[in-house]
Amino acid sequence: MRAASVSDYRELARRRLPNIFFEYIDGGSYAEVTLRRNVEDLEAIALRQRVMRDMTQLDMSVQTLGQTLKMPVGLAPVGMAGMYGRRGETQAIRAATAAGVPFCLSTVGVCSIEEVAATGTPPWFQLYMLKDRGYMRELLARAKAAGCPVLVFTVDLPLPGSRYRDIRSGFTGSTPLKAAMTQALDGITHPGWTWDVFVNGRPHTLGSVQAAVKEGRRVTDFLAWIARNFDRSVTWKDIDWVRENWEGPIVVKGVLDVEDARDVVRAGAQGLVVSNHGGRQLDGVRSSISVLPAIADAVGGDLDVFMDGGVRSGLDVLKALALGAKACFVGRAWAWALGAGGQPAIERMLDTLRAELAVAMTLTGCNNARDAGRTLLDNG
Ligand code: FNR
């Protein structure tokens, strides 16, 4: 099958990836209500068609945090991407760079900050608050030394949401990781998929888990590891701590409430991502797109507001822009493409988003992504 749309990459990834990884990428928490809302609420928004305007000069670029993005899209941090394609994070950043958009490396990536930066483009770096502040300081120093321009500080995962699919697939829960991984290796169909070692950290990232697996030691599962090492005591004051250790722009990811958004401004961050972690954390919360307008109205003048969750096409990108986002991020879209066909597939997926955005801008009469506003929508 030749992939024509983001959902086609999902289907290809489903066929090619070991089941535990496909389910891990695809799934959400609990009954997946929020995961569905993210997609359905975007679908339900109607664009307003306008015709007979000279649309020969389309400008999709946006300026944010000292950078120009060729289109208002970024690759969201996705943990363990190196499991979905060989050296997956380096494949993804190469595709992102070719498209002129940012790639954000997860704290729990397979490839190290240094390996990703060695592609020639330092990634944005995503930070989770771990209990071990010494290790965090080390990570921030490494991100700075590698030239990472932006720090994305994810605040909606003080503990992991319960993801039933991961329990059923054996990714987490009672089955030791080793058994699940062994099963995954047997079922492998992705050419070049290897059991890479998580190198981003010692001794507090998955590197230590995998080392233990290699040595045949029994390990607990990934999400149990998160539950042990992530810091639930975090408050807005901890942003001061982050700032003391990071001079560049900070984007707080995982905001769904207007009051929290105001706290992000007070904490002195330069951006926020309206996000429910792709419906993987607190199930039952509203979709990102439905809370975006109120947050953009409240704080859009003070910092850059981004959104993620449910973005599956260039049409969705324009809807997010119309409702106040500076740019939006895609998570599953690129993880599926990586699993489906590595860097070339991510490049084609980004081309698809660009082409769809071009049509959406042209037929809503929007010449310039920076001018996208609510007049692009048809509210009936
Ligand atoms: C994520 N997400 C995520 N976020 C983060 O800050 N750090 C991380 O390590 C991860 N890991 C991760 C793994 C996988 C497999 C997925 C699907 C998601 C959340 C991600 O950055 C983003 O918020 C959502 O993916 C956006 O929703 P969509 O685009 O997947 O619908």
Side-chain angles (χ1 to χ4, degrees):
M1 180 177 86
R2 261 190 75 174
S5 66
V6 166
S7 57
D8 290 349
Y9 288 108
R10 173 179 184 270
E11 176 55 24
L12 289 175
R14 192 182 63 73
R15 291 185 204 167
R16 292 190 184 159
L17 281 178
N19 186 50
I20 58 165
F21 295 131
F22 176 74
E23 292 289 353
Y24 175 66
I25 297 167
D26 202 58
S29 55
Y30 305 90
E32 303 187 337
V33 171
T34 297
L35 172 61
R36 282 193 297 279
R37 276 184 191 155
N38 278 346
V39 174
E40 287 168 7
D41 288 356
L42 268 165
E43 274 173 2
I45 293 169
L47 292 164
R48 180 175 168 211
Q49 177 166 299
R50 303 300 306 275
V51 295
M52 301 294 278
R53 298 161 166 244
D54 177 0
M55 299 304 294
T56 42
Q57 303 287 331
L58 275 194
D59 186 354
M60 292 187 187
S61 67
V62 289
Q63 257 90 36
T64 181
L65 308 171
Q67 302 183 7
T68 302
L69 319 189
K70 275 201 193 148
M71 67 173 163
V73 174
L75 304 192
V78 165
M80 304 205 291
M83 293 292 215
Y84 325 140
R86 183 168 161 69
R87 314 315 296 171
E89 290 87 357
T90 62
Q91 296 200 55
I93 197 167
R94 288 199 168 97
T97 303
V101 302
F103 166 82
C104 186
L105 176 66
S106 164
T107 295
V108 290
V110 168
C111 297
S112 68
I113 302 168
E114 293 79 10
E115 181 181 350
V116 176
T119 60
T121 314
W124 292 21
F125 184 64
Q126 178 263 324
L127 190 75
Y128 280 128
M129 199 61 127
L130 306 176
K131 287 179 189 159
D132 185 339
R133 295 292 200 277
Y135 181 66
M136 288 191 59
R137 211 173 281 125
E138 189 190 313
L139 271 182
L140 287 170
R142 283 169 56 194
K144 183 181 170 192
C148 297
V150 175
L151 184 73
V152 174
F153 182 37
T154 300
V155 294
D156 61 0
L157 208 142
L159 76 177
S162 201
R163 304 182 191 152
Y164 297 152
R165 291 208 222 179
D166 293 341
I167 297 170
R168 293 182 190 122
S169 73
F171 184 84
T172 191
S174 55
T175 315
L177 186 63
K178 183 181 177 187
M181 293 288 180
T182 308
Q183 190 193 352
L185 282 171
D186 290 340
I188 188 168
T189 53
H190 191 295
W193 189 92
T194 66
W195 193 3
D196 279 313
V197 176
F198 291 84
V199 285
N200 226 340
R202 13 149 257 289
H204 286 286
T205 70
L206 290 163
S208 54
V209 175
Q210 292 225 318
V213 171
K214 276 194 165 168
E215 291 159 17
R217 280 188 275 133
R218 220 182 127 80
V219 291
T220 52
D221 60 80
F222 176 48
L223 294 177
W225 170 84
I226 287 179
R228 264 202 320 282
N229 287 291
F230 283 32
D231 190 348
R232 296 181 208 181
S233 74
V234 184
T235 67
W236 294 109
K237 283 203 212 76
D238 292 286
I239 305 241
D240 294 342
W241 184 92
V242 174
R243 184 162 299 293
E244 278 162 28
N245 293 280
W246 179 262
E247 288 149 22
I250 296 175
V251 174
V252 175
K253 174 172 179 284
V255 176
L256 279 186
D257 189 278
V258 170
E259 287 310 311
D260 285 346
R262 293 206 169 97
D263 280 330
V264 175
V265 175
R266 279 192 278 271
Q270 283 68 37
L272 67 81
V273 187
V274 175
S275 174
N276 48 40
H277 217 99
R280 299 162 74 82
Q281 282 296 99
L282 182 59
D283 196 28
V285 296
R286 282 170 56 180
S287 63
S288 303
I289 194 70
S290 73
V291 296
L292 171 65
I295 291 179
D297 285 350
V299 300
D302 301 309
L303 42 64
D304 282 353
V305 174
F306 306 99
M307 76 78 75
D308 72 21
V311 175
R312 303 285 183 267
S313 72
L315 310 185
D316 292 340
V317 174
L318 191 66
K319 291 171 184 179
L321 260 52
L323 288 171
K326 183 93 183 189
C328 55
F329 286 86
V330 293
R332 290 181 183 80
W334 79 260
W336 287 327
L338 174 63
Q343 178 186 339
I346 303 176
E347 285 179 11
R348 284 197 302 275
M349 186 277 293
L350 288 170
D351 275 349
T352 301
L353 291 186
R354 184 187 303 102
E356 291 166 343
L357 178 60
V359 172
M361 288 175 67
T362 303
L363 278 160
T364 54
C366 174
N367 280 301
N368 194 320
R370 284 173 291 237
D371 299 335
R374 286 179 208 173
T375 53
L376 303 184
L377 305 180
D378 186 340
N379 295 316

